[in-house]
Amino acid sequence: MTTPSNGAVRATGRRRTRIARAAGALAGVAVTVFGAGLAARGTGELHVPAPGTTTVLRAAVFAALAVHLGELAGARIAGPGRAPRPWALWAALGGAAASAGQIVLLAGVSGLDITAAYGTRDGGLLLAMANAFALAAGCVALGRPGWAAGPLALVVGAEALRAHPEPYTPELGTALTVVHLTAASLWAGGLLYVLRATRLRGGGREALARYARLAGWLYVALAVTGTCSTLRRLPADVVLTTAYGRALIAKLALLAVVSALAVAARRRLRRGGDAVTPARTELAVLAGVVAVSAVLTVVPDPHWVSLRPALLR
């Protein structure tokens, strides 16, 4: 009886990893395209026009923001050495295209022309986001990537305002979203950049350790702002009967998996073991979190469900 060589074992591991990544990518696409519709099934909530297309564009904005902000922070975390090929320019251009695409979609579903769509609250904020992404791309193209932090802050602010049109304490909701979105982008995007740098350099335990220290604070910021936003936005009596509540449960489940993977990676770091494998899996699950977060921005506001009986009286 022969035993497989180390090379064969590694090749099998790589194949399994590729299959798992492909399956994860397909699952992420399915969640992005069909998630809003599935979450709202049987809830009796109003139909959201073009939920799949809207969610795809929202996810593209979140991904672009994470990649660009993560690259700005990750370059400092990774320290000196060979740097991965920059993705910031393409991320910014993709974010601008996704923001502009939402304006076109808004005009189509509302029966407005493009100029009239700009005049709406959502249209104006999306236009500001598209221009800010384009300005960030210009900063990168001019060889001043650090200057892109300003336009990206405008993107975060505009997205936070767009997400809180409700009449109940929108200022607090906007502030919570600014912190939450920034922390989430740095967590996912920073991990992506550090893992790319680690792979390029053939090591990088120090970079992963520095990232782990930052990620701990980001996790606290996400937990606090996420809890506060949930308490504000989701009435307890409609957690299981609204699309928002169902999507939120899915997001919390994924975050629990991410938390376990993050703890495993940090334990391996302390023990001198391989922390890259759980960190890569953590990044893959974070991509799923981004997809579900995009669904949360598309489904109806659960407060309207809670208020509906009072409105009908």
Side-chain angles (χ1 to χ4, degrees):
M1 180 177 179
T2 60
T3 58
S5 64
N6 290 337
V9 171
R10 286 195 295 269
T12 301
R14 286 194 294 269
R15 283 195 298 271
R16 290 176 178 173
T17 300
R18 286 195 293 268
I19 292 173
R21 288 177 181 173
L26 289 174
V29 171
V31 168
T32 306
V33 175
F34 304 109
L38 291 174
R41 180 169 295 179
T43 64
E45 295 174 284
L46 294 176
H47 173 71
V48 177
T53 305
T54 305
T55 306
V56 169
L57 294 173
R58 308 278 323 132
V61 167
F62 292 157
L65 190 61
V67 170
H68 203 153
L69 278 177
E71 190 167 300
L72 288 175
R76 294 179 177 273
I77 296 170
R82 293 182 64 191
R85 180 177 298 177
W87 289 356
L89 177 61
W90 296 109
L93 292 175
S99 300
Q102 290 178 76
I103 299 173
V104 175
L105 185 62
L106 174 64
V109 299
S110 58
L112 302 173
D113 57 34
I114 295 296
T115 304
Y118 289 161
T120 65
R121 182 181 186 275
D122 274 7
L125 290 171
L126 288 169
L127 179 61
M129 291 170 63
N131 288 335
F133 268 125
L135 186 56
C139 293
V140 176
L142 291 173
R144 300 290 185 178
W147 291 2
L152 293 177
L154 293 177
V155 172
V156 173
E159 169 58 27
L161 288 170
R162 192 212 61 80
H164 290 277
E166 72 275 6
Y168 49 95
T169 59
E171 297 82 5
L172 177 59
T174 299
L176 289 171
T177 301
V178 166
V179 177
H180 194 83
L181 183 56
T182 303
S185 298
L186 290 174
W187 186 2
L191 180 58
L192 172 63
Y193 186 89
V194 169
L195 286 175
R196 292 178 62 216
T198 299
R199 181 178 181 180
L200 183 65
R201 299 172 186 179
R205 289 179 49 80
E206 298 81 3
L208 281 172
R210 287 193 293 271
Y211 168 79
R213 288 192 290 271
L214 173 63
W217 291 105
L218 295 175
Y219 184 86
V220 171
L222 284 168
V224 172
T225 56
T227 301
C228 292
S229 294
T230 299
L231 292 175
R232 290 180 63 256
R233 200 172 181 92
L234 183 62
D237 59 334
V238 295
V239 172
L240 298 177
T241 58
T242 60
Y244 189 95
R246 294 171 179 178
L248 182 62
I249 291 172
K251 180 179 178 179
L252 291 176
L254 289 174
L255 284 174
V257 175
V258 169
S259 301
L261 291 167
V263 170
R266 282 143 188 77
R267 284 180 177 175
R268 290 193 183 188
L269 272 175
R270 287 196 298 268
R271 296 173 181 174
D274 173 32
V276 173
T277 300
R280 286 176 177 169
T281 308
E282 176 187 346
L283 180 62
V285 181
L286 279 173
V289 173
V290 171
V292 177
S293 297
V295 172
L296 280 169
T297 67
V298 173
V299 295
D301 188 329
H303 264 83
W304 293 113
V305 176
S306 180
L307 293 173
R308 185 167 54 193
L311 293 174
L312 292 176
R313 285 200 295 266

